[in-house]
Amino acid sequence: MKKSLIALAVLAAAAGSASAQSSVTLFGIVDATITYGRATGAGEASRWALANSGYNSSRLGFRGTEDLGGGMSASFWLEAGVNNDNGSGAATNTNNQASGGAIAGIGGGQGLTFNRRSTVSLAGGWGELRLGRDYTPQFWNLTVFDPFGTNGVGTTQTLNSIVTGVTAVRASNSIGYFLPGNLGGFYGQAQLYLGENAQNGAATEDDGTGFGIRLGFASGPFNVAIALSRTDYAAGDVRQNNIGGQYDFGRGKVMAHISRDSNGNLDGRGGLIGALIPVGPGEIRVAYSRYRTDAAGSPRTNKLALGYVHNLSKRTALYTTIAGVRNRGGAAQVLNNAVIGAGGNQRSSGFDLGVRHAF
């Protein structure tokens, strides 16, 4: 009897030790927003809608970490985009090419996919090795140094008008490395992603294969980073390069970034300057961004956006944003899906009013 009790005690202790060394977390964001968009140019049109992700992207995720000892750990991260206004999932891309696009669902809706991130990692004092679908290094500066975090009607035009296509934000089939966090403020990542085509001598065998690298330095109120990338396509390689920075004055943060992109023979250039200003339990957000390409007519779009977020708690916030764009040279950017025919000097305005809850 005593031996049985001792054995049970040992098993319980072992189970408790394993539990203490591992953790799994369910997390997510539900963000609903009432949107309005209006466009003028070759006619006039407006549109009201209930949408999502006006402040933060709606998502459902699972993440876990196991302590392997000796400073090593293993982890996983599965994160799915959710369109909570209609219950569908967000689309993914399987091979970083047009052929790997959205999966057709019942009634045209997209089923739940872990499109935002699906990775497994090993980490230690040497850094982190991460495998799977993830953000590309070339995207981070656009979102980190955008007061609107590339969400909602205020999203920077350096992303909305970008010419780089499928790998502008995320890449599938990626192998990524992240520097350790003890380098005196220096940080960075490198990523290789694969199109996974048959290597049969076809002109398109390297389509969707590429790499990106990002290096930065953050110390006290100062943060700056640069990113470079290239993705191969037979129709013309895609390059997405940018640099961004932020300074925290205590009473507010000022941020900016500039981008230089290309898609084959088409070049695009843009920039943003903006600020985050704390006001009581909330925050004012303001940004001016622009983007232009060297296509015929030199299409270009300028955007001004102003918003306010009111935090009801650490997890729940109310927010509103207004924005306006002006198009020239044949550009036809519209806000909140307002539909209008192309025009030489088209204008569009948009409005978000929503609530975000995180868990």
Side-chain angles (χ1 to χ4, degrees):
M1 182 66 178
K2 288 183 178 180
K3 289 183 179 180
S4 298
L5 291 175
I6 291 172
L8 287 172
V10 170
L11 288 172
S17 175
S19 176
Q21 293 175 355
S22 303
S23 65
V24 176
T25 301
L26 168 69
F27 66 96
I29 290 174
V30 181
D31 181 322
T33 179
I34 298 170
T35 69
Y36 173 76
R38 178 175 176 269
T40 59
E44 181 175 334
S46 62
R47 183 174 181 268
W48 284 94
L50 178 64
N52 67 85
S53 307
Y55 178 36
N56 295 142
S57 298
S58 293
R59 68 197 73 174
L60 175 66
F62 308 86
R63 58 177 180 255
T65 301
E66 180 187 15
D67 186 351
L68 300 176
M72 287 276 290
S73 65
S75 62
F76 77 92
W77 192 302
L78 298 172
E79 186 175 326
V82 177
N83 300 318
N84 47 275
D85 53 313
N86 57 35
S88 65
T92 190
N93 185 286
T94 61
N95 61 9
N96 311 318
Q97 302 160 63
S99 60
I103 302 168
I106 298 174
Q110 172 72 43
L112 189 68
T113 65
F114 293 109
N115 67 301
R116 291 184 54 81
R117 179 174 166 182
S118 54
T119 62
V120 63
S121 305
L122 285 175
W126 43 267
E128 179 188 357
L129 179 66
R130 187 182 296 177
L131 308 176
R133 179 172 173 81
D134 202 0
Y135 280 130
T136 54
Q138 58 265 30
F139 169 68
W140 279 111
N141 289 338
L142 300 184
T143 190
V144 171
F145 303 118
D146 174 9
F148 294 91
T150 55
N151 274 291
V153 73
T155 295
T156 174
Q157 283 306 125
T158 54
L159 181 63
N160 279 349
S161 297
I162 201 166
V163 300
T164 54
V166 177
T167 58
V169 177
R170 296 179 178 86
S172 294
N173 319 314
S174 75
I175 304 167
Y177 169 73
F178 293 76
L179 291 173
N182 57 355
L183 299 179
F186 288 97
Y187 61 89
Q189 72 175 113
Q191 184 186 69
L192 170 68
Y193 42 89
L194 306 174
E196 298 187 342
N197 301 308
Q199 300 298 294
N200 55 8
T204 57
E205 67 178 9
D206 291 329
D207 278 12
T209 296
F211 71 90
I213 185 170
R214 180 175 184 246
L215 295 172
F217 178 77
S219 178
F222 180 73
N223 186 8
V224 64
I226 185 171
L228 307 170
S229 73
R230 189 189 77 192
T231 308
D232 296 335
Y233 296 100
D237 292 345
V238 167
R239 299 177 187 271
Q240 184 173 324
N241 309 312
N242 47 65
I243 184 170
Q246 172 183 291
Y247 194 88
D248 188 345
F249 290 93
R251 295 185 177 181
K253 298 177 183 177
V254 174
M255 57 189 66
H257 65 250
I258 57 175
S259 60
R260 298 291 184 270
D261 311 312
S262 65
N263 189 335
N265 294 322
L266 178 65
D267 293 330
R269 297 185 176 188
L272 169 144
I273 185 168
L276 294 170
I277 306 167
V279 179
E283 186 174 58
I284 294 173
R285 307 187 293 172
V286 60
Y288 173 77
S289 59
R290 62 184 302 174
Y291 198 86
R292 67 183 299 164
T293 76
D294 64 354
S298 297
R300 53 201 182 275
T301 301
N302 298 344
K303 172 187 273 188
L304 182 63
L306 175 66
Y308 174 69
V309 178
H310 185 81
N311 296 303
L312 299 175
S313 70
K314 290 183 178 180
R315 298 191 298 158
T316 304
L318 301 175
Y319 63 89
T320 186
T321 304
I322 57 173
V325 297
R326 182 172 182 178
N327 297 293
R328 293 182 178 274
Q333 290 287 317
V334 296
L335 300 178
N336 283 342
N337 297 310
V339 179
I340 194 70
N345 295 301
Q346 183 185 102
R347 293 176 182 265
S348 181
S349 57
F351 167 80
D352 287 347
L353 175 64
V355 57
R356 185 284 321 266
H357 179 73
F359 60 91

